[in-house]
Amino acid sequence: MRIDILTIFPEMFDSPFGHSIIKRAKNKGIVKIFIHNIRDYSLTKNKNVDDYAFGGGAGMVMMIEPIALCIEKLKSERTYDDIIYMSPDGELLNQSIANHLSMYNNLIILCGHYKGIDERVREAYITREISIGDYVLSGGELAAAVLCDSIIRVIPGVLNDETSALSDSFQNDLLSPPVYTRPANYKGMKVPDILLSGNEKEIQKWKMSKAMERTALRRPDLLSDDD
Ligand code: ADE
């Protein structure tokens, strides 16, 4: 899979993409991530990427030209499955969206800033808008990093034990059951006996019942058939 990210703060991706599972996926060649600095596509003398909003109002607006030039160049090189704009106006990210996007070959992700992007970018290029929650971030970069992480970890071959992504919370509309590691007894706080019993069938039953119990308590909405 190839992901092209358009941003005015390329360095913001150094850390999230330089560690752990995303780093491993890149090293294995399963995902290639290219970060494009929108400023490099500005045709103005001072490399501007934003300007005042027509009609007034607080805040600057990201200009269409540099974004359009960057997207046009990428589109001339390959076909993209989606051109995503990270925005609080978008559809709310969930596991099923992440699973779906993980099957794509080529994605563009545009990160906005200031008061947003010129509406004509949306009209001409954006095929999908995604939000990571009902709150406003200073820009789309952190949201794009969250989206990429959620997509990349479910691509087959990224995790060593393939079942480990499938057993994540939300993969079956259930939260995960509690997990424990050594020591079996920490200052009197004991790991449930069943997990030490070696009885695989009973352990699986226990995990499922704990997952159901936790989901019913914390996220009963996940158990309803409405969606
Ligand atoms: N940009 C600013 N806020 C955002 C959010 N909540 N989700 C996605 N992109 C954003």
Side-chain angles (χ1 to χ4, degrees):
M1 171 183 228
R2 174 183 170 120
I3 304 177
D4 291 274
I5 299 180
L6 278 59
T7 172
I8 53 169
F9 293 117
E11 297 82 10
M12 283 186 75
F13 293 96
D14 291 350
S15 181
F17 293 166
H19 303 275
S20 184
I21 288 167
I22 300 195
K23 182 183 178 186
R24 198 191 317 157
K26 287 198 307 185
N27 289 345
K28 284 185 181 173
I30 296 173
V31 67
K32 291 193 171 67
I33 305 176
F34 296 88
I35 312 283
H36 306 273
N37 190 342
I38 295 169
R39 209 171 284 284
D40 293 342
Y41 292 82
S42 172
L43 298 181
T44 69
K45 203 171 81 201
N46 297 321
K47 295 277 168 205
N48 297 330
V49 289
D50 62 319
D51 210 332
Y52 295 101
F54 279 125
M60 307 290 273
V61 176
M62 286 177 68
M63 298 154 70
I64 186 170
E65 188 166 63
I67 296 171
L69 289 174
C70 184
I71 293 179
E72 291 288 357
K73 176 172 179 292
L74 291 171
K75 279 177 64 168
S76 74
E77 293 163 352
R78 68 196 62 75
T79 304
Y80 284 90
D81 299 292
D82 255 331
I83 302 181
I84 298 170
Y85 174 47
M86 301 311 301
S87 156
D89 305 357
E91 57 187 316
L92 219 48
L93 178 61
N94 60 27
Q95 191 63 54
S96 113
I97 295 175
N99 293 348
H100 191 80
L101 293 177
S102 76
M103 292 183 281
Y104 285 170
N105 292 322
N106 298 307
L107 273 183
I108 290 177
I109 303 178
L110 171 63
C111 306
H113 256 272
Y114 315 117
K115 267 289 158 201
I117 53 170
D118 189 306
E119 189 65 18
R120 291 166 292 183
V121 174
R122 283 171 141 147
E123 290 162 6
Y125 299 108
I126 301 301
T127 58
R128 187 161 197 174
E129 301 196 14
I130 293 180
S131 163
I132 64 159
D134 288 341
Y135 42 81
V136 177
L137 300 167
S138 310
E141 285 75 11
L142 294 175
V146 167
L147 175 64
C148 287
D149 191 298
S150 73
I151 294 172
I152 292 167
R153 61 179 282 102
V154 292
I155 301 175
V158 169
L159 298 180
N160 281 340
D161 174 3
E162 280 212 25
T163 61
S164 83
L166 295 176
S167 65
D168 282 349
S169 282
F170 299 111
Q171 279 298 9
N172 51 3
D173 276 343
L174 289 178
L175 301 183
S176 292
V179 292
Y180 302 86
T181 187
R182 283 187 293 187
N185 183 345
Y186 179 70
K187 297 182 178 174
M189 290 188 281
K190 292 189 182 146
V191 171
D193 287 337
I194 181 79
L195 295 179
L196 311 174
S197 69
N199 185 337
E200 194 53 35
K201 202 166 148 225
E202 287 304 312
I203 291 173
Q204 288 312 325
K205 260 167 68 183
W206 181 89
K207 286 185 178 173
M208 180 49 83
S209 92
K210 286 289 169 191
M212 297 284 290
E213 186 183 304
R214 183 164 279 190
T215 309
L217 197 66
R218 300 187 182 188
R219 292 293 306 276
D221 55 300
L222 295 176
L223 297 174
S224 65
D225 315 315
D226 306 351
D227 41 23

